[in-house]
Amino acid sequence: MLNIIKKITPWWFKISIKLILSRFPIPYIFWSKINLFRHGQMDNSRYAFDVFTNHIQQNNRSISGMTILEIGPGDSLSSGVIAFYYGAKSILINPTKLIFDPIKNFNNLKIFLEKKEFEIKDSPKDLEDLCETHNIDYFFEGLKSLKEIPSNSVDIIFSNAVLEHIFKDEFEETINELKRIMKKDGFMSHQVDFKDHLEGSLNNLRFSNLVWESYLFRNSGFYTNRIRFYEMVSIFENKGFEVQILDLKKWDILPLNLKKISKQFRELKHDDLLTSGAKLKVKFSE
């Protein structure tokens, strides 16, 4: 029922209600249970496993002994647990310390992985025990945490519908840090969603930078940085990376009348505005 309501609720009402509700001192765990302000679906075992394997399968050799970093693991440490049973160390970085039930999540994932014939350890006692026994480093201060990771220490970096949520004024600095920590023979895999996170359209492009980048809009649960596809690829290339486009999704026609889009975006290539999503493999240029 809630999903149906969300689908039929207009974008402007979603913004209005989130602007209001995000000001209330209500814990995140409550919002996540009703699927509002929710940070992805990585606490769903099958989804987490599919996301993880989808990003690392580009690597044609075993990941045993490697270090894998996920940007934005959401409400679980599923990627870290899965990486451990493939023989890898993991680093998971969130922008804040999200509230979740790590033991319940582990137990659900344990059942799922055992069906895939992995031999799983006994359930950990708490979050600290989970990280220690599964070779997971969990950080929750976003860009600040990235700066604490040693240079040239990570083999694979991945994110799933996360890059678009990094604050625009922190995006290039974040890419600089990823470049610093990634090994020269490593790679990044990023699934990027260029749609608004309101209606799956381009309603986020209606607003001027002054409004959209305001503190209120940036901190109300619907923010995306509005960096479009070609600009994002250009940023990576200007940092010395080679970008391979593994998947590109486009609308057949613009989902929003061009006249309703803020002037700063109307001058973009039509093809750029039509891009709704992409999977990017990023490695150092030879």
Side-chain angles (χ1 to χ4, degrees):
M1 177 62 73
L2 183 60
N3 288 333
I4 295 175
I5 293 174
K6 288 177 69 174
K7 286 181 180 180
I8 65 175
T9 302
W11 67 269
W12 53 266
F13 184 79
K14 291 178 182 176
I15 283 185
S16 301
I17 200 67
K18 286 193 172 186
L19 286 171
I20 296 169
L21 292 179
S22 62
R23 310 274 84 80
F24 283 78
I26 298 174
Y28 170 72
I29 193 168
F30 171 79
W31 297 127
S32 65
K33 285 182 177 179
I34 63 172
N35 208 27
L36 190 65
F37 302 116
R38 186 170 171 78
H39 299 282
Q41 301 291 327
M42 290 298 280
D43 55 336
N44 178 305
S45 299
R46 180 176 297 279
Y47 178 83
F49 185 83
D50 289 345
V51 166
F52 183 86
T53 53
N54 182 48
H55 284 288
I56 69 164
Q57 69 183 4
Q58 301 166 47
N59 184 36
N60 294 322
R61 62 189 189 278
S62 169
I63 64 169
S64 180
M66 291 188 177
T67 297
I68 296 174
L69 182 144
E70 181 183 13
I71 307 168
D75 294 345
S76 84
L77 302 187
S78 296
S79 293
V81 174
I82 297 167
F84 176 79
Y85 289 106
Y86 277 107
K89 170 186 172 58
S90 64
I91 303 171
L92 310 179
I93 296 183
N94 264 331
T96 58
K97 190 172 185 178
L98 301 177
I99 298 174
F100 55 96
D101 187 338
I103 307 307
K104 179 181 178 181
N105 178 248
F106 175 87
N107 289 334
N108 290 336
L109 184 58
K110 181 176 185 288
I111 294 170
F112 177 83
L113 292 176
E114 285 177 337
K115 290 179 179 178
K116 290 188 171 293
E117 300 184 349
F118 287 91
E119 293 186 12
I120 311 301
K121 291 176 175 286
D122 292 335
S123 297
K125 296 178 294 185
D126 51 30
L127 175 61
E128 183 178 354
D129 186 35
L130 172 59
C131 291
E132 184 177 345
T133 56
H134 289 80
N135 208 7
I136 299 170
D137 288 339
Y138 177 54
F139 298 97
F140 43 86
E141 294 185 279
L143 180 57
K144 181 180 177 182
S145 296
L146 268 180
K147 292 180 178 181
E148 297 175 4
I149 298 173
S151 299
N152 192 35
S153 63
V154 178
D155 298 280
I156 302 174
I157 299 169
F158 80 93
S159 70
N160 206 70
V162 172
L163 289 192
E164 67 268 21
H165 292 290
I166 296 172
F167 289 148
K168 187 174 182 179
D169 56 8
E170 294 183 355
F171 190 84
E172 290 205 38
E173 189 175 3
T174 297
I175 303 305
N176 286 337
E177 289 302 314
L178 297 180
K179 178 180 180 180
R180 178 185 63 80
I181 67 177
M182 191 172 80
K183 294 180 180 180
K184 297 305 178 184
D185 60 348
F187 72 87
M188 291 188 261
S189 178
H190 299 292
Q191 185 72 47
V192 189
D193 187 353
F194 294 102
K195 304 186 294 295
D196 68 47
H197 287 41
L198 300 160
E199 232 175 34
S201 180
L202 291 174
N203 292 298
N204 55 343
L205 304 190
R206 292 173 179 264
F207 301 87
S208 68
N209 268 338
L210 184 63
V211 173
W212 191 258
E213 294 294 330
S214 66
Y215 177 86
L216 189 62
F217 271 48
R218 279 166 59 126
N219 295 278
S220 296
F222 55 81
Y223 176 86
T224 57
N225 53 41
R226 307 193 295 176
I227 297 173
R228 300 303 300 167
F229 170 70
Y230 286 116
E231 181 183 2
M232 188 172 290
V233 170
S234 178
I235 290 172
F236 276 115
E237 290 178 341
N238 290 338
K239 300 295 182 184
F241 290 112
E242 173 187 323
V243 180
Q244 181 181 358
I245 302 165
L246 300 181
D247 185 31
L248 191 63
K249 294 182 174 63
K250 294 185 178 183
W251 288 291
D252 293 328
I253 59 173
L254 278 183
L256 185 66
N257 190 310
L258 192 62
K259 293 180 180 179
K260 296 181 179 180
I261 293 175
S262 179
K263 184 178 179 180
Q264 70 191 85
F265 296 106
R266 289 181 211 161
E267 298 175 357
L268 293 177
K269 295 179 181 178
H270 190 70
D271 186 56
D272 201 2
L273 290 173
L274 285 173
T275 301
S276 61
K279 183 179 180 183
L280 309 176
K281 182 176 181 179
V282 182
K283 61 181 182 178
F284 286 106
S285 299
E286 295 181 358

